[in-house]
Amino acid sequence: MNARDHNERLTGFQEVLNEDFPDLSICPVLHGQDNAEIVEAEIQTALRNNTVISAVYNVGAGNRGLARALESCSASPFCVAHKLVDHSRSALLDRTFDIVIDQRPEEEVSAALNPLRLLADGRPVPPRDPILPTISRP
């Protein structure tokens, strides 16, 4: 949770859940350290020890481990993850993941480099629309 984006994702999730779904509760946050093996072990343990978990939200990396953990469990909680890359796309297509949120990193890089190029050329930098994430479902 040292990464700002992970912290902001979790905070936003908790705020929305508390406001819009006050009857639901959030289990203690697991810290996978963006490591697939740690994520896999933590999720397997959590699902084994708490049979009422109905959803998993991974705010960070480690999606390979998350997919392996969910595939090996008899329970199939609703799963939201980030970053639409080959392994998360596969998990989405085989319905291991239900939603993958993608921040479109190629647009983020372009949004950062284009203004620098314009500034280096002495040209004005026009305002830019925000980059909106995409949400993919199977």
Side-chain angles (χ1 to χ4, degrees):
M1 293 309 300
N2 292 331
R4 180 178 174 185
D5 61 332
H6 297 182
N7 200 7
E8 288 176 352
R9 289 171 186 169
L10 180 60
T11 299
F13 171 74
Q14 290 170 325
E15 288 173 0
V16 169
L17 199 64
N18 289 335
E19 186 172 318
D20 295 348
F21 303 96
D23 295 340
L24 296 179
S25 61
I26 300 172
C27 294
V29 174
L30 304 176
H31 298 278
Q33 302 170 17
D34 289 341
N35 178 298
E37 287 72 30
I38 295 172
V39 170
E40 180 177 8
E42 291 285 334
I43 293 296
Q44 284 177 333
T45 300
L47 292 174
R48 194 176 322 113
N49 293 338
N50 188 341
T51 58
V52 298
I53 293 175
S54 58
V56 174
Y57 175 37
N58 184 18
V59 300
N63 284 336
R64 280 187 176 100
L66 175 58
R68 287 191 304 261
L70 294 175
E71 289 165 355
S72 71
C73 293
S74 57
S76 58
F78 189 87
C79 180
V80 178
H82 284 267
K83 297 198 190 234
L84 189 62
V85 294
D86 289 342
H87 58 274
S88 59
R89 181 178 283 109
S90 293
L92 188 64
L93 292 174
D94 71 17
R95 299 192 181 272
T96 302
F97 292 176
D98 296 282
I99 294 175
V100 175
I101 302 169
D102 189 52
Q103 283 75 26
R104 302 188 332 211
E106 64 283 350
E107 284 191 43
E108 291 177 334
V109 170
S110 177
L113 293 178
N114 285 339
L116 292 174
R117 183 178 44 83
L118 291 170
L119 287 170
D121 291 343
R123 298 186 306 184
V125 177
R128 182 173 166 90
D129 292 332
I131 298 171
L132 300 175
T134 59
I135 298 175
S136 300
R137 295 193 67 172

